[in-house]
Amino acid sequence: MIKILIVDDQMILAEGIKSVLETCPDFKVLGIASDGAEAVAFTGKHKPDVVLIDIRMPNMNGVVATKRIKEIDDKIKIIILTTFDDSDYILSAINNGASGYLLKDIGSTALIDAIKNAYAGDTILPSKIAKKITDAAMMVSSDKEIKLKRNYNLSDREVEIALMLNDGFTNRQIASAMKLSDGTARNYISSIYSKLGVEGRSAAMQKIKELV
């Protein structure tokens, strides 16, 4: 049984989502929170498995709440469910620990599947969202891209992945955004480490930052 908390300041929408989720026998909706602060307090007491949370809410938004909830229990899966597909929101949510980012126009079956997949450990990023992440990752200084290619002989794909590493993306998030298998993403990242002459993520990030 997957225990779920719904977080949305629009109660009629939250009740509608609750009704959809309750059609699945594998789900138990523990409750509805009307803002991020309420969600954090609820999580501390009841420890849901999955939190389905909006972005823009009073008192505490979904991005801040995501960070606070992950600090309470990193095993809790958090899925952003919102009407906003702004790349800054997407990147902030993912970097703060969200397991996925969905838009509210998603169908009932797809939402149920997304929750199950997130609970199983997958990163949930529909193609439209993944494209925005990729585009955002590429909207960096062209000078840095040139230096990565010239100084370290990185391929175009390796440059994209190196910049995503620099932005704090995990291997799994990179694989999802770039439409790669986890193994292929790891191979690219290992190659990047080798070309940069470093042994790990922190050292790679430091070297990339020095290119600015």
Side-chain angles (χ1 to χ4, degrees), residues 95 140 144 148 159-169 174 201-212:
N95 287 338
V140 294
K144 184 180 286 189
L148 281 169
V159 167
E160 290 182 47
I161 292 172
L163 294 173
M164 293 180 79
L165 276 173
N166 192 50
D167 285 333
F169 284 82
I174 290 170
R201 180 177 296 260
S202 297
M205 291 173 68
Q206 183 59 39
K207 191 155 255 186
I208 294 167
K209 281 183 173 67
E210 290 171 357
L211 293 174
V212 179

Side-chain angles (χ1 to χ4, degrees), residues 17 27 49 60 69 71 90 155 182 192:
I17 294 166
F27 293 166
D49 299 309
M60 183 187 294
I69 289 169
E71 288 171 351
I90 299 167
S155 68
D182 287 351
I192 290 166

Side-chain angles (χ1 to χ4, degrees), residues 85-120:
D85 63 353
D86 182 276
S87 59
D88 287 340
Y89 280 137
I90 299 167
L91 289 167
S92 295
I94 297 297
N95 287 338
N96 276 295
S99 296
Y101 198 107
L102 301 173
L103 298 178
K104 285 182 178 175
D105 59 4
I106 189 172
S108 301
T109 301
L111 176 59
I112 288 170
D113 288 344
I115 292 172
K116 289 181 178 179
N117 291 337
Y119 179 70

Side-chain angles (χ1 to χ4, degrees), residues 117-144:
N117 291 337
Y119 179 70
D122 293 342
T123 300
I124 312 303
L125 293 171
S127 56
K128 179 180 178 182
I129 298 299
K131 183 178 186 304
K132 279 194 171 283
I133 289 180
T134 305
D135 289 347
M138 293 173 67
M139 288 176 61
V140 294
S141 166
S142 59
D143 183 52
K144 184 180 286 189

